[in-house]
Amino acid sequence: SKPAKAKDLQYYVILPGYWTKESAQAELKALELLGFRTKEAEIEKSGTSYQVRLARMKSKSNADDMAASLSRMSFRAAVEVASAP
């Protein structure tokens, strides 16, 4: 298969490193209270911990901006390239 073109790539804004699903759910609730859209957010197991996949975006700069905003509010956030569907 051909590699994805840059314009076809999508990016996830994730918050990694929660020991329990409940702690990830609590963080999601905090984000909702702070005004972040969480309707499409997902909690997933990642190795021995959980992570919150907060948003999927087509623009890396928008994803980076959201991660930076979260970091300024003391959340640990990262941007990952979304795997092809």
Side-chain angles (χ1 to χ4, degrees), residues 3 16 19 25-28 41 61 69:
W19 289 109
Q25 288 169 330
E27 199 81 324
L28 205 49
S61 64
S69 293

Side-chain angles (χ1 to χ4, degrees), residues 18 71 80:
Y18 299 97
S71 294
E80 287 184 352

Side-chain angles (χ1 to χ4, degrees), residues 7 13 21 25 27 30 32-33 35 42 58 66-67 80:
K7 69 179 178 106
V13 177
K21 189 171 188 175
Q25 288 169 330
E27 199 81 324
E32 188 178 340
L33 292 171
E42 296 178 17
K58 292 182 179 181
M66 180 183 263
E80 287 184 352

Side-chain angles (χ1 to χ4, degrees), residues 1-82:
S1 72
K2 294 189 280 185
K5 295 180 183 135
K7 69 179 178 106
D8 296 332
L9 291 177
Q10 293 195 334
Y11 303 89
Y12 286 126
V13 177
I14 61 159
L15 289 86
Y18 299 97
W19 289 109
T20 65
K21 189 171 188 175
E22 292 74 20
S23 62
Q25 288 169 330
E27 199 81 324
L28 205 49
K29 186 65 178 169
L31 289 166
E32 188 178 340
L33 292 171
L34 289 168
F36 284 90
R37 282 189 24 211
T38 61
K39 198 164 83 173
E40 296 176 11
E42 296 178 17
I43 296 172
E44 58 190 17
K45 191 130 172 80
S46 175
T48 59
S49 62
Y50 291 86
Q51 67 181 16
V52 174
R53 192 183 323 169
L54 185 60
R56 184 177 185 136
M57 302 181 156
K58 292 182 179 181
S59 162
K60 185 169 187 327
S61 64
N62 288 350
D64 287 339
D65 288 347
M66 180 183 263
S69 293
L70 289 161
S71 294
R72 282 192 297 275
M73 290 185 272
S74 300
F75 291 96
R76 257 183 49 204
V79 174
E80 287 184 352
V81 176

